[in-house]
Amino acid sequence: MTVFNPDARVQLVLGTQWGDEGKGKIVDLLGEQHDVVARFQGGPNAGHTVQIEGEQFILHHIPSGILHDHTICVIGNGMVVDPETILTEIEELEDRGFEVCGRLLISENAHLILPYHKIIDKASEGFKEDAKIGTTGCGIGPAYADKIRREGFRAGDLLTRDWEARLREKVRINNLVLERVYGEPPVDAEDVIGLLLRFMDRLSASIADTMHYMQACLREKKRILLEGAQGTLLDIDFGTYPFVTSSNTTIGGVSTGLGIAPQRIDHTLGILKAYTTRVGNGPFPTELAGDFGDRLREMGGEYGATTGRPRRCGWLDLVAAKYAVQLNGVDSLCITKLDVLDTLDEIRICTAYDVQGDRTGEFPVSGEKLESVRPVYETVPGWKTRISSLTAYGDLPDAARAYLDRISDLLGIPVRIVSVGAGREQTIIL
Ligand code: IMP
């Protein structure tokens, strides 16, 4: 595979929609040319799917670079780590022949998702009448809430002398919340300690000061790939709040979640799926309800990699994508799943919104306003040809190239990669 952007030592890959853009495949692909692959936010809510020679891998915590023998994978301080899930993830990778622990670093400042966080996540959703977020139920929100309330428990705490006593106290307080607020049975502190001892048994040597590690990598001019999770529109600050995740999925998350200064990022690659999906609740202007949306879901295999939930599907929304490009300073684009549109007669692109009679190209930050917008579409012809075996841009049908060119023109940045299937080889580098 041709080396992508050889001048960039530090590259960021992030999602420009509501997640599930296909970042895992691209990080795996680019990982080959990098020494270090690091994640900076989120946790097991992510489900990064990589397919190698017909075999599928779904990664939740561990950076998608792990599938290349030479890369060091870093879980930054901005992530939340579920000891139970990560142990399973490691075991599954080891069973399939990958060496993990010796190549994995976990920030000592990364917060842990403890069993009560998962119970609270699910129970609090059950309490809501009409504003359920539709979380992944992985305990993400409650773990980040504890971090912000300064009541979290970090990986590095496990390296201190009296951690068991402090953990018992946290479990005691959270059990009160579980019982009195949610009517849920308490968690057994000794079970939690047992889980963390198993975590330490496998991973104590991986817990590290990853900020200084990343700084050393920068000094040594190592090639670093930064792997975003979820997508721009799920960002806690810039997303469609409250229907968002609990971390900064946008470029700022790299600095706060890994300790890398913004100006050290040489290139930001935005991943844009050729149509739009969203899992969970919240506004989605270009959503296709009904048969056609169902057909798109089946054509694209749009079911959650973490929860198996059906994803909501719709046309490509370039108003939202423009917002993501601006927010993240995206330098170039990777268009994924272009082949899913192969059979369509015509394709629609949302180029503007009508908001109470006014036309705008600006993505509204208010959720209420976003609920009421009407998308304005441009219709382009489909290519009606199977493209998933093509490897050169020049071989793509004219209509497919016209679709890509239109996206590039409207967003004002070049398309550098086109993905036409799940396999590593089903990728066109421009
Ligand atoms: P949470 O991150 O589990 O708290 O879920 C909050 C919202 O983000 C829900 O709408 C989820 O469906 C969505 N979400 C979280 N992680 C992902 C992801 O990796 N892909 C797509 N949506 C996600």
Side-chain angles (χ1 to χ4, degrees), residues 54-166:
E55 224 188 308
Q56 195 182 66
F57 298 83
I58 299 179
L59 298 158
H60 298 287
H61 293 90
I62 299 181
S64 306
I66 201 75
L67 305 175
H68 295 285
D69 296 341
H70 67 282
T71 52
I72 298 293
C73 290
V74 177
I75 288 183
N77 58 279
M79 282 188 71
V80 283
V81 178
D82 178 350
E84 199 176 348
T85 324
I86 198 171
L87 286 177
T88 310
E89 206 174 328
I90 291 172
E91 210 173 285
E92 283 172 8
L93 284 165
E94 286 176 345
D95 285 350
R96 294 166 86 175
F98 292 90
E99 205 274 299
V100 182
C101 295
R103 298 199 286 127
L104 183 67
L105 294 177
I106 301 175
S107 167
E108 58 195 356
N109 289 351
H111 282 248
L112 298 184
I113 300 175
L114 295 170
Y116 49 80
H117 290 132
K118 292 189 266 191
I119 302 172
I120 292 172
D121 192 6
K122 291 183 188 124
S124 61
E125 283 273 276
F127 266 38
K128 291 174 191 156
E129 291 285 313
D130 55 357
K132 284 190 207 308
I133 290 163
T135 74
T136 58
C138 298
I140 305 292
Y144 276 118
D146 271 3
K147 168 178 173 171
I148 301 301
R149 294 189 311 132
R150 294 153 294 178
E151 290 185 1
F153 193 81
R154 308 199 282 188
D157 288 334
L158 293 168
L159 303 173
T160 60
R161 249 184 309 116
D162 56 346
W163 70 265
E164 293 189 22
R166 279 187 290 125

Side-chain angles (χ1 to χ4, degrees), residues 18-20 45-47 133-137 140 230 234 244-245 279-280 309:
W18 278 285
D20 307 318
N45 48 350
I133 290 163
T135 74
T136 58
I140 305 292
Q230 291 82 50
L234 288 171
V244 292
T245 191
V279 60
R309 288 180 292 175

Side-chain angles (χ1 to χ4, degrees), residues 159-429:
L159 303 173
T160 60
R161 249 184 309 116
D162 56 346
W163 70 265
E164 293 189 22
R166 279 187 290 125
L167 187 81
R168 279 195 191 91
E169 180 57 9
K170 286 194 188 299
V171 172
R172 188 185 70 78
I173 293 168
N174 278 281
N175 276 343
L176 292 175
V177 175
L178 285 178
E179 285 178 294
R180 295 189 186 170
V181 179
Y182 298 107
E184 293 285 336
V187 163
D188 185 335
E190 301 316 308
D191 287 349
V192 184
I193 289 171
L195 167 66
L196 294 179
L197 288 172
R198 278 193 284 125
F199 176 79
M200 286 297 280
D201 202 36
R202 292 306 319 273
L203 289 164
S204 59
S206 296
I207 300 175
D209 173 352
T210 53
M211 180 270 177
H212 282 109
Y213 175 78
M214 295 308 298
Q215 292 297 322
C217 291
L218 289 170
R219 275 197 307 279
E220 291 161 19
K221 303 217 174 315
K222 292 230 163 95
R223 293 179 65 94
I224 301 170
L225 188 60
L226 307 166
E227 177 178 5
Q230 291 82 50
T232 297
L233 304 174
L234 288 171
D235 184 278
I236 182 75
D237 285 289
F238 292 106
T240 48
Y241 191 91
F243 303 101
V244 292
T245 191
S246 300
S247 63
N248 283 116
T249 58
T250 45
I251 192 166
V254 173
S255 298
T256 55
L258 266 174
I260 291 184
Q263 68 270 33
R264 304 306 297 269
I265 302 168
D266 297 314
H267 192 94
T268 300
L269 176 70
I271 313 292
L272 182 72
K273 187 151 58 180
Y275 50 98
T276 311
T277 60
R278 168 160 213 176
V279 60
N281 298 327
F284 180 176
T286 61
E287 180 167 19
L288 288 160
D291 291 351
F292 191 64
D294 293 345
R295 188 174 150 211
L296 199 51
R297 179 180 312 114
E298 293 315 312
M299 293 194 304
E302 295 294 351
Y303 291 88
T306 300
T307 58
R309 288 180 292 175
R311 296 179 185 143
R312 299 155 65 193
C313 296
W315 294 118
L316 183 58
D317 182 344
L318 290 189
V319 178
K322 180 114 201 164
Y323 176 72
V325 166
Q326 288 172 344
L327 259 176
N328 296 297
V330 173
D331 296 298
S332 68
L333 290 168
C334 165
I335 309 295
T336 57
K337 297 187 105 167
L338 188 65
D339 56 302
V340 171
L341 307 181
D342 278 356
T343 55
L344 302 184
D345 294 327
E346 48 185 40
I347 299 166
R348 292 175 136 200
I349 309 174
C350 168
T351 54
Y353 292 155
D354 273 340
V355 192
Q356 286 142 17
D358 292 330
R359 188 150 296 188
T360 179
E362 251 176 42
F363 189 77
V365 281
S366 132
E368 203 178 336
K369 216 170 180 184
L370 191 59
E371 292 278 9
S372 68
V373 305
R374 286 194 36 243
V376 178
Y377 290 110
E378 195 174 288
T379 303
V380 297
W383 42 93
K384 310 277 285 171
T385 316
R386 297 233 58 93
I387 60 168
S388 47
S389 60
L390 302 180
T391 52
Y393 179 72
D395 293 341
L396 283 172
D398 289 349
R401 275 188 281 139
Y403 186 58
L404 297 173
D405 290 348
R406 191 70 188 125
I407 295 171
S408 173
D409 281 353
L410 287 165
L411 295 180
I413 47 172
V415 172
R416 294 271 188 234
I417 305 181
V418 183
S419 173
V420 292
R424 274 180 182 166
E425 67 294 349
Q426 292 174 298
T427 313
I428 299 172
I429 310 262

